[in-house]
Amino acid sequence: MYVISDSPNPSRMVCFGASGTCVQVMLDLVHQSQGAPRFSGYVADRFGSRVHADGHPVSSLEEVAEWGDVGIVVPIHDPRDRRSVFTRIRKLGIPILGSRGLPHLSHPAAALGEGVIVSSTTRVGFATTIGNASLALGDLIAHDVTVGEYCTFAAGSIVLGHVNIGDDVFVGAGAIIKNGTSSRPLNIGTGAVIGVGAVVDRDVPPGAVVISPRARPLREALS
Ligand SMILES: CC(C)(COP(=O)(O)OP(=O)(O)OC[C@H]1O[C@@H](n2cnc3c(N)ncnc32)[C@H](O)[C@@H]1OP(=O)(O)O)[C@@H](O)C(=O)NCCC(=O)NCCS
């Protein structure tokens, strides 16, 4: 687990966010980093208890800033929320940790930005770059893909080759973004949202929300 700053790696890490998804991402990162830095709890602004249901402590960001020798990971799913959390953390001077240097399935020629989190089961392809602070939890971001900053790829999502993705894009669980070509990459505009299970086979303009048809009944229910 590498720090985005030049400071030495801290001996402890905390997770900003305490939702079920954050817990799952954290568990994966703890396995990837084989316990070092040591996981020391969650950070949450509003949480009913000082102890999480999984037994770890829950602290405020300001409290953690006083600890020293601690880094933070930010698996918040909403790109805009993640942006504002990063700004707060930087102001407090807490080192932000990411997956660079951890074992995962990225091609050696893939480039991960600062604070990027890649799950242990996400494949990132050749000549692909993922911008700072993005969260890659899907199955695949294939070759020749350019991803901007603060993007989110939820579980099971797939991005095929030759795709350009702007900043702050949210790709929902199980969505598939079809490949472009080297001469005509497929473009997903900044701030776009790709709904759960969507199949995207053409450009998506900035800020657009796209979905595919929902499942429809094919046969009557058994009576
Ligand atoms: C696309 C999305 C952002 C839209 O959210 P929203 O603006 O709050 O939309 P609503 O939930 O109000 O739904 C509006 C309509 O679109 C439909 N719809 C929403 N998402 C859909 C999807 N992914 N596929 C098909 N239809 C969808 C709803 O059924 C609803 O239809 P209706 O008006 O006929 O009832 C959201 O549904 C989504 O897919 N989010 C991704 C969630 C995810 O991947 N999370 C990862 C783990 S945290």
Side-chain angles (χ1 to χ4, degrees):
M1 174 148 301
Y2 282 7
V3 183
I4 66 163
S5 66
D6 292 332
S7 53
N9 278 350
S11 65
R12 293 186 290 176
M13 64 176 168
V14 291
C15 172
F16 194 104
S19 69
T21 314
C22 291
V23 172
Q24 212 53 43
V25 174
M26 204 58 228
L27 185 68
D28 187 46
L29 285 173
V30 167
H31 281 302
Q32 284 182 62
S33 57
Q34 296 178 334
R38 184 165 45 85
F39 180 50
S40 302
Y42 299 96
V43 175
D45 289 327
R46 290 172 296 278
F47 201 76
S49 164
R50 302 279 293 174
V51 182
H52 195 276
D54 75 359
H56 288 98
V58 180
S59 310
S60 72
L61 196 55
E62 290 67 28
E63 285 169 331
V64 168
E66 301 293 316
W67 292 3
D69 191 26
V70 61
I72 191 162
V73 294
V74 187
I76 301 282
H77 269 57
D78 185 288
R80 282 162 307 179
D81 291 348
R82 199 156 67 251
R83 245 181 210 282
S84 70
V85 167
F86 264 71
T87 303
R88 288 173 58 197
I89 293 171
R90 285 182 178 129
K91 271 193 192 139
L92 290 167
I94 306 170
I96 298 169
L97 305 174
S99 296
R100 261 197 270 174
L102 292 181
H104 47 75
L105 300 174
S106 299
H107 189 282
L112 306 185
E114 297 170 333
V116 168
I117 296 174
V118 177
S119 88
S120 59
T121 55
T122 302
R123 287 167 295 149
V124 180
F126 174 75
T128 283
T129 59
I130 301 186
N132 296 339
S134 286
L135 184 57
L137 307 178
D139 284 353
L140 174 68
I141 299 176
H143 61 94
D144 297 290
V145 176
T146 304
V147 175
E149 297 186 336
Y150 297 97
C151 292
T152 297
F153 300 84
S157 59
I158 291 177
V159 180
L160 299 178
H162 296 294
V163 175
N164 292 334
I165 297 177
D167 296 334
D168 301 282
V169 168
F170 182 94
V171 179
I176 299 178
I177 300 177
K178 187 174 176 270
N179 58 294
T181 64
S182 55
S183 57
R184 172 74 178 87
L186 191 144
N187 295 299
I188 309 291
T190 287
V193 176
I194 315 296
V196 162
V199 177
V200 177
D201 68 350
R202 58 199 65 194
D203 290 356
V204 176
V209 181
V210 296
I211 56 173
S212 288
R214 64 165 66 89
R216 61 183 173 80
L218 181 60
R219 299 186 183 87
E220 296 299 319
L222 293 174
S223 52

